[in-house]
Amino acid sequence: MPESKKSLSQRAFRGLLKILPFDFRANFGGEMERVFDEQKRDVEKRGGIVDFARLWWEALTGIFRTAPREHWEILKHDCAYATRMLQKSPWFSITAILTLALGIGANTAIFSVVNSVLLRPLPYPQSQQLIFIREQALKVGADHVPFSVPEIMDYRERNHTLADLAEYHGMAFTLFGHGDPDRIRSGVVSANYFDMFGIRPMLGRTFITADDQPGAPPVLVLSYDYWKNSLGSDPQIVGKTFEMNDKVHTVVGVLPPVPQYPDKVDMYMPTSACPFRSSKMHIEDRDMRMMEVFGRLKPGVTMEQSRADMAAIAGHLQAEYPKSYPENLGFTADASPLQLELTHSARPTLLILLAAAVFVLLIACANVANLTLSRMARRERELSVRTALGAGRSRLLRQLLTESAILAFGGGALGLVFAYESLHLLTQFASRLTPRAHEIRIDAGVLLFALAAAIGTSLIFGTISALFARANLSTGLKEGSSGAGSGLRRNRMRSALIVSQIAFSFMLLIGAGLLIRSLMKMQEVNPGFVPQRVLAMKINFNWAKYKGDDPFADVAKKVLDAVQAEPGVLSAAISSGYPLEAEMITGGPNSNTFQVQGRPMQSGEAPPIASVASASPDYFKTLGIPLLAGRTFADTDDAKAQQVLIVSEHLKKSLWPNSDAVGQRVTFDQGEHWSTIVGVVGDVREFGLDHAPENEMYAPIAQTSNVGTILLRTSMDPAGAMRRMREVIHGVDSQTAITQEMTIGQARLKSLESPRLTATLLGLFAGLALLIAAAGIGGIMALAVSQRVHEIGIRMALGAKRENILGMILGQGTTLAMLGIAIGALGALALTAMIKSLLFQVTPTDPMTFLVVAVVLAATALVASYVPARRAARIDPVEALRGE
Amino acid sequence: MAKTNDVQSHLPLTPAMFQILLALADGEKHGYAILKEVALRTDDKVRLSAGTLYGNLARLESSGLIVESQKRPETRFDDERRRYYRLTEFGREVAVAEANRMDEALGQARAKKLFRKPRLA
């Protein structure tokens, strides 16, 4: 019956049959249509609408019940067949699975980090409501100014958008009663802190309002890590006591593992237990800013509404307290989602690594597609014979897709193992970028991602190979296994795949190259000091013991004298911190605004700012920081003497470009106290090798008592020196906690760890890509040679020399490489702007990197084509022609 | 699917399969005839649709319980497009085994007096 004469029912039934597998339809489709027709005719004879509905209902359910079963049968059959075929070519199977495993593994590993850090909500109830609030002095470039106690009170009372607001500041205290005096890091928080986040304690309780009242008995809540690592997961810890700050503190609870921000701390105490925070001065002085503030939005309030709310409060405060918020600072307040705050520094690096991993997977796909195409050339006869024997074309395509799916799932499973194995390393890496690193794990989302990667992969390379099989099936039998027309077309496809592999490898290599160049520049950059043989030890006196006007000056001097008297100590100093200290790098410079005597501020003009450090007289000598003008500090620059300062070259140049800085006077408190500049020293990269020098000032340690570090230049070996210094320091005061010892060289290396790891990971991906691409080029050239034995034989018979043949094959390999490099270079030019934020003194289009990468890639292509080219050159023309 | 000659491995048959084998017990038939015969014999209790019929025929054929018949009725009754199916010897054995299995079950149910009339409470 012609299609046009068929009834609507018949056409609908035929359409319904399409959900059955092709083979089944081909076999029984006609019969089924006929049976349906006859059933319909019976129904029409009887003429009931109910019968007609019943006929359709049964037809529908019958086909929907049969279709899945038939598809399943075919899948089982195809899998069995595919497994047999893959077992027949084990090298192909192993190479394909390994290549895909590397690609999928790299993606899954990086995605598990991206998923845990960037995608999953923070582990708190309604975490999207949590925000981080900061004050800002925009005109002097300070975008993160902490809060003072009166300010916190104001923001708590005046806001309209927050359900709750909690404060935090980090403090280091010395803990007694558990072996050596231990310096612990403590978070000082308002009583509502944990309730606001919605953190339930793992043991005991968190803080209640009564804990925060003046004079309340001091209590502690321990962090999970401290409880686990330093207290051996003691289940009876609640109720035990610690002595700290001359007071006995009782542990009331232990936290579950939660991300800690802005610092990772060992324990928490309420504000009333912190001797600084609970002092009258801190509670009353609007300008003593050291607290961080977190908030929870009221339900239904948007981020934008809250930001406007905070800015409005800042505006009102500025009007009410003009002295605390000078107009020329550009004072305001802003808020951002807490999740963003916890992850923003990790985001660019992680996204770049994910993009790199996707590139590796694409290269792996292209490579496996190429392998499959080469294999297809050998299987052409088998496939053609099957077609001739009646296998439908789509049936064969289905078979090929099943084979690619088996390879991809094999690769995916192995890739998952790779990802799992690398998780520990990645967690360590990520912990340098975000406090969420410990949340990294392989969860359902990651498994789904790996599954999607495997399915996507099998679709990409399976479709490529299936499409070309389809084009060739009809010609395979007629033209023999190396059919010229289809072969050409397939070779073009293979060449395109190779070119794309090289292009993607080029982009990856450029990314890695730029990061490595940055790293090299960072290593070469002059830090402004001589790090060799300098030791830094972080020390903390038990401050509770040294009360009075001049708490530390005396003991600090004693310690310094004792250290200096040691044989092998060339020079020693005491300071607030040391260059490239981890906390200096994460915290950045402290911004103090000041005024210069005789230089009145114009209204609206931003005051100069500088980071201020404390140093004892030999600080500059010990670190090898050059004195450029004036003098360094002397022992006479003590608390009773005139206040003095030494400034950095950068500050000198920005404030007194054409005159002397020495002798100038500056004030930090609107003229209440004046300090005289007595010297100018060289610039130091204190806050990271990639952090350009800023305005810096040094004050004598005897005038600030900001004691934190002992520095010494020594001729001893560092480990022995550290042991000895411990004894010397404890000899002066046994209650001194020594919390960190390292050489400045180690600190310098450590500061480069994060860029080094990023460069290493990207380099690893790029190396992987290069390897896969090289194998691809080698493979396709070998195949091309084997297909052209006859032609090469003729050329040689006609007088072509071996060198010509060698040159011809090498030339073809190099042409592909050049094309790939050209396309890759265009891609790289477009993409490298993405990694700009990770680069240091290298432009994203650095010609040197592009040149080196191009040469490396071209050389790799040349080497990879050399083996097949040599084989081509050794072809015996007589043998080749006889072989035909 | 590999042909398994072990009769027991095919038991129990689905009701549809058993009915199809029964329909073929007295001679070869084409699809629509099978469907009609089953409906008539079971008083419309077992109704096959085109989909379930051919799904089952495919399965029975691949397990060797039926084969497509090469013999055709006289040309004036025949329709070129129609395929006829015939019970194989193995198919008959399976059908008999299934009938025996059901018979046995029926006997056991009788022995347990499962069929006695419910008493009125």
Side-chain angles (χ1 to χ4, degrees), chain A residues 151-215:
Chain A
E151 286 172 337
I152 291 172
M153 301 299 173
D154 290 337
Y155 279 87
R156 186 173 279 150
E157 278 160 23
R158 297 182 187 195
N159 81 77
H160 304 291
T161 53
L162 299 181
D164 210 352
L165 179 149
E167 64 164 277
Y168 167 97
H169 71 272
M171 274 280 158
F173 297 114
T174 313
L175 191 73
F176 301 103
H178 290 260
D180 259 0
D182 190 11
R183 193 181 78 142
I184 53 105
R185 294 155 302 173
S186 175
V188 181
V189 298
S190 47
N192 64 338
Y193 185 80
F194 298 108
D195 291 340
M196 190 198 77
F197 280 97
I199 301 173
R200 293 174 170 281
M202 210 176 60
L203 292 177
R205 63 170 176 91
T206 55
F207 298 133
I208 51 175
T209 317
D211 293 330
D212 210 6
Q213 300 306 310

Side-chain angles (χ1 to χ4, degrees), chain A residues 333-473:
Chain A
D334 198 4
S336 54
L338 183 61
Q339 172 137 20
L340 194 71
E341 195 59 32
L342 262 62
T343 55
H344 68 93
S345 54
R347 186 174 292 268
T349 308
L350 291 184
L351 292 184
I352 285 161
L353 286 176
L354 188 64
V358 169
F359 275 21
V360 172
L361 185 57
L362 285 178
I363 293 170
C365 275
N367 201 48
V368 176
N370 237 341
L371 278 175
T372 313
L373 284 182
S374 310
R375 186 160 155 268
M376 209 76 90
R378 293 192 289 277
R379 278 180 69 186
E380 210 152 76
R381 269 182 184 279
E382 171 221 328
L383 294 173
S384 303
V385 167
R386 290 189 66 198
T387 317
L389 289 179
R393 227 180 230 189
S394 54
R395 179 80 195 76
L396 280 191
L397 296 188
R398 192 175 165 156
Q399 170 69 48
L400 290 173
L401 276 176
T402 309
E403 279 179 35
S404 66
I406 287 184
L407 289 177
F409 281 107
L414 192 59
L416 210 54
V417 174
F418 288 168
Y420 186 78
E421 289 300 317
S422 64
L423 218 54
H424 180 66
L425 209 69
L426 279 174
T427 305
Q428 273 186 335
F429 166 64
S431 66
R432 285 173 225 291
L433 301 171
T434 169
R436 297 198 73 187
H438 70 90
E439 295 175 58
I440 294 171
R441 61 182 57 92
I442 289 183
D443 63 1
V446 176
L447 289 178
L448 233 99
F449 176 86
L451 188 70
I455 291 174
T457 308
S458 67
L459 282 181
I460 293 176
F461 83 82
T463 310
I464 293 175
S465 38
L467 279 179
F468 280 82
R470 190 192 184 116
N472 296 326
L473 280 181

Side-chain angles (χ1 to χ4, degrees), chain B residues 20-29 37 41 85-87 92:
Chain B
I20 292 171
L21 294 184
L22 273 191
L24 294 177
D26 49 3
E28 56 201 48
K29 288 186 180 64
E37 207 265 1
R41 181 160 41 75
Y85 294 93
R86 169 171 70 75
L87 201 57
R92 185 173 296 277

Side-chain angles (χ1 to χ4, degrees), chain A residues 345 349 352-353 428-430 432-433 511-523 580 585 687-691 747-764 835 837-840:
Chain A
S345 54
T349 308
I352 285 161
L353 286 176
Q428 273 186 335
F429 166 64
R432 285 173 225 291
L433 301 171
L514 289 173
L515 289 182
I516 290 168
R517 288 264 292 162
S518 292
L519 190 64
M520 279 159 56
K521 295 258 184 190
M522 272 192 238
Q523 277 166 336
L580 302 179
I585 292 173
F687 309 102
L689 290 168
D690 54 348
H691 197 123
R748 183 170 164 278
L749 274 181
K750 214 170 144 100
S751 78
L752 291 172
E753 257 176 13
S754 173
R756 182 179 296 119
L757 259 164
T758 311
T760 308
L761 272 178
L762 206 58
L764 197 74
I835 64 170
S837 66
L838 299 185
L839 298 183
F840 172 70

